[in-house]
Amino acid sequence: MPEVDCLADLSASRYDSPMQSLKKERVSIMVTDAIKEIINVENLKPGDKLYSEKELVKKLEVSRSSIREALRMLEVSGVVKVYQGKGVFVSDPSEQSHPVKNWVVENAEALREHFEVRLLIEPHAASLACRFAEQKDLEALQSCYDTFVEKVKTGDVIESISSDSAFHLAVAKATKNRTLAVLMRTMDQTLNEGWYASLHAPGRLESSIAEHGRLLQAILDHDQEEASQAMEDHLRNALKDIQHYFGTL
């Protein structure tokens, strides 16, 4: 039976070179695609057990955190189901009327905690970015924003989520506070469910364009109060949309 032996092999058909692709796209997105490809190539059916995290790390030659992030994305999408202590199994999409909604309901407490932490950290980060961002940071923020807008227009939710989180990470990096930047990166790698859930709510991607634009302009203007408020409003709106659309939290 044919197999996908490594992430580089899978990406070769989509990009000119694997190293170039890593610069264009977050590893977790590539891993997500690679796992989907494994399911297709090896003809795995609903209920079949997928490789373990350890086996996927070895097979795709990426970090365990990237594997876990990809599996979370796939679980929210209804592609796989992760059972603690048992492993990862292929799901049956036809049995799920709304896999994202099902996931949100099952993980409501984790999502509440996710937004609680972000509301504590990110408005302050936006304020600090106004004070300490250098020209290269402002250019990076503008680039991240432009990429996010482009991805939303293509309708690719997964790449839009990647671009959304990249924008938030750029804000954290602009603070020049290394501890804060590391904390945000860790959250992005291990607590990304809030991004994933909120951006599946109808209209949230489009609303995020305007909200990111407001935040970006405030940072460009070095308006600390407006930047902090823009970030808080953005996060609260995302939470509100989850509550309204998914009927939970």
Side-chain angles (χ1 to χ4, degrees):
M1 184 176 293
E3 294 186 352
V4 178
D5 290 326
C6 73
L7 189 58
D9 291 339
L10 175 66
S11 63
S13 63
R14 300 171 56 201
Y15 301 98
D16 294 334
S17 76
M19 289 307 296
Q20 184 181 15
S21 73
L22 292 176
K23 297 177 182 179
K24 293 181 179 179
E25 189 174 18
R26 287 179 59 203
V27 174
S28 59
I29 301 282
M30 295 180 67
V31 176
T32 300
D33 290 342
I35 294 174
K36 287 181 179 178
E37 186 71 4
I38 288 173
I39 293 172
N40 290 331
V41 169
E42 302 195 9
N43 198 30
L44 298 181
K45 305 298 183 183
D48 287 348
K49 189 173 184 179
L50 190 61
Y51 295 101
S52 67
E53 285 185 5
K54 184 177 181 180
E55 289 170 330
L56 288 170
V57 166
K58 183 177 180 180
K59 192 174 186 65
L60 300 181
E61 299 177 5
V62 294
S63 69
R64 194 156 197 161
S65 63
S66 294
I67 294 295
R68 287 177 176 173
E69 183 176 358
L71 288 175
R72 277 195 299 272
M73 288 185 178
L74 292 170
E75 185 173 25
V76 175
S77 299
V79 176
V80 302
K81 182 67 177 177
V82 180
Y83 295 97
Q84 293 299 323
K86 294 183 179 181
V88 184
F89 296 82
V90 178
S91 296
D92 185 350
S94 66
E95 295 180 355
Q96 304 180 58
S97 58
H98 199 311
V100 178
K101 183 172 183 178
N102 293 340
W103 186 92
V104 169
V105 171
E106 292 175 3
N107 295 271
E109 185 62 30
L111 282 172
R112 275 194 293 270
E113 293 173 353
H114 170 93
F115 278 99
E116 283 176 2
V117 173
R118 289 184 66 185
L119 281 164
L120 286 171
I121 296 173
E122 293 198 71
H124 183 58
S127 176
L128 289 178
C130 292
R131 293 176 56 190
F132 299 111
E134 300 174 359
Q135 184 59 36
K136 64 179 182 179
D137 300 310
L138 299 178
E139 291 172 358
L141 279 167
Q142 183 68 61
S143 177
C144 287
Y145 174 75
D146 292 342
T147 299
F148 177 64
V149 173
E150 177 187 344
K151 296 302 182 183
V152 171
K153 288 181 178 179
T154 67
D156 190 318
V157 176
I158 295 219
E159 291 204 18
S160 296
I161 291 167
S162 176
S163 302
D164 178 273
S165 60
F167 179 80
H168 285 263
L169 288 172
V171 172
K173 186 175 180 180
T175 67
K176 304 304 180 184
N177 184 314
R178 288 178 296 178
T179 300
L180 192 154
V182 169
L183 179 59
M184 278 298 299
R185 183 168 295 281
T186 301
M187 288 176 58
D188 176 55
Q189 293 174 343
T190 61
L191 299 171
N192 59 355
E193 294 91 344
W195 271 288
Y196 205 90
S198 66
L199 292 178
H200 271 83
R204 175 91 304 259
L205 282 169
E206 292 73 17
S207 295
S208 290
I209 289 178
E211 292 163 7
H212 281 193
R214 176 190 171 193
L215 174 58
L216 173 62
Q217 191 59 54
I219 295 175
L220 293 174
D221 293 340
H222 303 287
D223 188 335
Q224 291 181 245
E225 184 176 347
E226 168 65 7
S228 178
Q229 190 61 57
M231 180 67 86
E232 180 177 342
D233 289 347
H234 172 52
L235 294 174
R236 292 194 183 281
N237 287 340
L239 180 59
K240 186 185 300 181
D241 283 351
I242 293 176
Q243 293 171 326
H244 175 74
Y245 181 64
F246 296 109
T248 187
L249 301 190

